[in-house]
Amino acid sequence: MDYELTETQEEIKNLAYQVALRDLKPVREKHDADGTFPWDAVKKMAAADLPGVYLPEAYGGLGGGLLDQVLVVEQLSRVCGGIALSFAATGLGALPIMLLGTAEQRQKYIPDLAAGRKLAAFSITEPAAGSDATATKTTAKLDGEHYVLDGTKIFVSNGEVAETYVVFASTNPARGARGVSAFIVEKGTPGFGFGKKEHKMGIRANPTYELVFQNCRVPKKNLLYKEGYGLFTAQTTFDCSRPGVAAQALGIAQGAMDETIAYIRQRKQFGQPISSFQAIQHMMADNATQIEASRALLYATAKSIDKAMKPVYDKAIADNAIVYDVMQAMNVRRYTKESAMSKCYCSDVAMKVTTDCVQMCGGIGYMADFPVEKYMRDAKITQIYEGTNQIQRNEIAAMMIKEAASSAKADAVSA
Ligand SMILES: Cc1cc2nc3c(=O)[nH]c(=O)nc-3n(C[C@H](O)[C@H](O)[C@H](O)COP(=O)(O)OP(=O)(O)OC[C@H]3O[C@@H](n4cnc5c(N)ncnc54)[C@H](O)[C@@H]3O)c2cc1C
């Protein structure tokens, strides 16, 4: 399928796949087995300039957009969804700073992320606040020139290895959802420590950590946007980050099919390759069709967001303004529905495709020394994080109802 990628995007896509084959493939099994962090592979991704493909040139990036980021995540995940997550989770930590941060905050934090010198993380989940982030219990009390953070966050990807954390805490518990605010917290800040490291089903090369804040003094200037805008910051971020999860899912699905086709072409039963059996061919055909449909939806979403957001980023950087304020001034709409659709569809396809791939390979597909079962384990998380697929469906339906209400209102006015 011709997705009309630019020459640069084709190059980025090919480069990411070459890096994945050369630097991720030889170590993916080891890091999946022992759960250690693949620092060497991460440094090689940085040496290939991958971390900055989607970030503005003003901050040392290559000046691409969401589609460039999606292409990299897809190609890395095609080989290892776990190692790819160090790149994707840094994107999730960088985005709120890009979208809601001041020019000073962008200048201070983005260049290190663009160069791959540092990794980032995003921390909203708590023991009692998962799908319902309004239940945030971590507090941030203003004390002179600092906010004092107290509480525990859980399930943080890139935990402990990241240097820059975007953390959500309540500055006004009495206001509930409207009391939550977002902060940039640097690793090493006194009172900020790491608790439990999770033992997981998949994406095991990426550390998932508990963050513990005890009387942690964060400079006032590290507040993102305004007090009370934390959940708004999270949602605005998800509108642009969920295509990254979709890309991870798409890459995992494609990678599982790549491995499966290579196997079923040479495996013989009843005197013929198992790929010649119609039952297997129908699974292949359905999977390939669903993968291509995922790619079409995802790329169209990323292209739409890039088309809308590129002029916004350019103006915000030129004017030293906050990107979200420029979005408002330029009347640029949010892509909540399309991002949720991409994340939901691509991840459901990835779970189905990888499960079918294990089936097509038979017993060997279930074995840990054959790569396919890892794709199935890695796929599962894409249906859960950055909002479960139930939450994505809630959001898609809510947007549909809102759109229908406003078009009914417009029809009534013109009638
Ligand atoms: C490996 C891993 C990495 C993660 N990385 C990060 C990270 O980097 N940063 C971060 O902040 N968080 C992270 N998370 C947290 C993740 O985003 C949450 O686990 C997820 O949002 C679901 O929250 P929960 O686990 O509390 O599930 P719950 O909210 O308890 O949901 C349980 C079930 O109920 C369903 N449900 C809940 N509410 C509704 C509703 N209103 N309608 C329909 N169904 C509903 C859910 O869909 C789900 O099936 C990570 C999680 C994992 C497992």
Side-chain angles (χ1 to χ4, degrees), residues 6 13 16 57 78 87 90 95 98 115 179 222 247-248 267 270 273 288 301 314 363 375 377 397 402:
T6 64
K13 178 179 139 188
E57 286 169 301
R78 194 173 160 192
F87 173 91
T90 292
L95 254 175
M98 280 305 303
N222 285 23
Q248 185 189 24
R267 166 75 172 168
F270 301 97
T301 299
D314 289 348
Y375 284 99
R377 288 187 287 109
K402 200 169 155 190

Side-chain angles (χ1 to χ4, degrees), residues 122 124-125 130-131 155 157 200 381 384-386 388 390 394:
F122 177 99
I124 192 163
T125 307
S131 300
F155 298 170
S157 301
K200 311 192 292 282
I381 191 59
I384 296 174
Y385 58 18
E386 288 193 39
T388 65
Q390 286 74 32
N394 290 352

Side-chain angles (χ1 to χ4, degrees), residues 154-338:
I154 56 167
F155 298 170
V156 182
S157 301
N158 272 355
E160 210 267 332
V161 295
E163 299 284 334
T164 307
Y165 293 77
V166 171
V167 178
F168 295 79
S170 181
T171 39
N172 189 345
R175 293 200 73 207
R178 288 168 195 272
V180 179
S181 306
F183 300 89
I184 306 169
V185 186
E186 295 176 24
K187 183 178 175 179
T189 307
F192 170 23
F194 299 97
K196 183 184 176 206
K197 180 185 177 192
E198 299 294 341
H199 183 67
K200 311 192 292 282
M201 171 197 286
I203 54 158
R204 290 172 43 79
N206 193 274
T208 310
Y209 263 91
E210 182 181 58
L211 310 185
V212 181
F213 297 94
Q214 286 174 317
N215 198 25
C216 174
R217 296 181 72 81
V218 175
K220 201 173 158 187
K221 63 179 191 297
N222 285 23
L223 172 71
L224 269 175
Y225 207 55
K226 302 171 191 168
E227 272 196 21
Y229 278 75
L231 297 188
F232 172 81
T233 298
Q235 186 59 58
T236 309
T237 300
F238 290 147
D239 290 348
C240 297
S241 68
R242 283 175 176 160
V245 181
Q248 185 189 24
L250 173 61
I252 290 170
Q254 184 65 63
M257 273 308 295
D258 296 344
E259 299 279 0
T260 301
I261 287 177
Y263 177 74
I264 62 179
R265 283 182 65 236
Q266 55 83 26
R267 166 75 172 168
K268 287 196 171 127
Q269 286 294 279
F270 301 97
Q272 45 188 311
I274 55 173
S275 59
S276 68
F277 299 126
Q278 195 182 51
I280 298 289
Q281 289 180 348
H282 285 186
M283 272 198 263
M284 288 167 65
D286 285 347
N287 288 349
T289 306
Q290 288 156 6
I291 287 172
E292 211 52 62
S294 298
R295 189 171 284 124
L297 173 62
L298 172 59
Y299 287 11
T301 299
K303 279 186 182 188
S304 305
I305 293 176
D306 283 340
K307 192 174 166 194
M309 289 300 289
K310 177 89 172 78
V312 175
Y313 280 121
D314 289 348
K315 185 161 172 47
I317 291 166
D319 296 353
N320 283 333
I322 291 175
V323 169
Y324 180 73
D325 288 342
V326 176
M327 265 176 91
Q328 293 286 89
M330 292 174 75
N331 210 12
V332 169
R333 78 166 175 95
R334 290 168 55 180
Y335 284 82
T336 309
K337 185 177 78 177
E338 295 82 352

